[in-house]
Amino acid sequence: MKCHLKRLLALALAAVMLLALTACGKAPQIGGVTIPVQDGAVIGQGSRTFAVEVTVQDGKTVRFTVRTDQETVGAALQELGVVAGEQSSYGLYIKTVNGITADYDRDGVYWAFYIDGGYAATGADQTGITDGSVYAFRVEK
């Protein structure tokens, strides 16, 4: 009887540990922000505030608010782990936004950057933050 009880307790403990590990592995956290950022979330801290819209190929859009003390959109989003990419002679080439990678060399798609609905003339890392503006990233061909 004692042997069965020990086995049962060991099995229950193993199940609890497995559930704990599974829960920890669902969404990575970077800089205290869970990626992907969920629709309607407010992330970061600081005196500047702006909105971000991320639209993927199937048309699904996630909107969230960023608070920061950074000077540029790119710096704020990199600090929070929302965007990642490679430095080039033109600035930051963003390949990943909100955990989704769009690589032109591999897939023929890229992340287009928009400011208040218009195609941006500068990259995110060169775009100063205007409080209340909406900065959008859309997967495009």
Side-chain angles (χ1 to χ4, degrees):
M1 186 73 171
K2 287 183 181 181
C3 185
H4 290 295
L5 183 59
K6 286 181 182 179
R7 285 184 185 169
L8 184 59
L9 287 173
L11 183 60
L13 180 60
V16 168
M17 290 174 57
L18 181 62
L19 287 173
L21 288 173
T22 302
C24 291
K26 285 190 176 181
Q29 278 202 347
I30 301 171
V33 175
T34 301
I35 304 297
V37 177
Q38 299 300 308
D39 194 49
V42 177
I43 61 172
Q45 297 177 358
S47 59
R48 294 183 171 96
T49 303
F50 62 93
V52 175
E53 292 181 353
V54 179
T55 304
V56 294
Q57 278 184 297
D58 66 4
K60 181 180 176 190
T61 300
V62 174
R63 294 171 184 85
F64 53 92
T65 301
V66 175
R67 293 190 176 136
T68 187
D69 287 325
Q70 293 289 338
E71 296 292 323
T72 66
V73 173
L77 295 177
Q78 277 187 296
E79 177 181 65
L80 295 169
V82 176
V83 301
E86 301 171 356
Q87 286 296 329
S88 74
S89 57
Y90 300 104
L92 179 65
Y93 172 37
I94 294 175
K95 290 188 172 185
T96 303
V97 177
N98 206 24
I100 300 168
T101 299
D103 185 346
Y104 188 82
D105 296 329
R106 188 183 70 202
D107 307 322
V109 294
Y110 68 99
W111 284 106
F113 180 54
Y114 291 81
I115 303 170
D116 292 326
Y119 199 84
T122 57
D125 62 329
Q126 299 166 347
T127 301
I129 296 170
T130 302
D131 282 347
S133 282
V134 177
Y135 301 97
F137 293 89
R138 300 177 189 156
V139 173
E140 295 185 353
K141 278 195 174 241

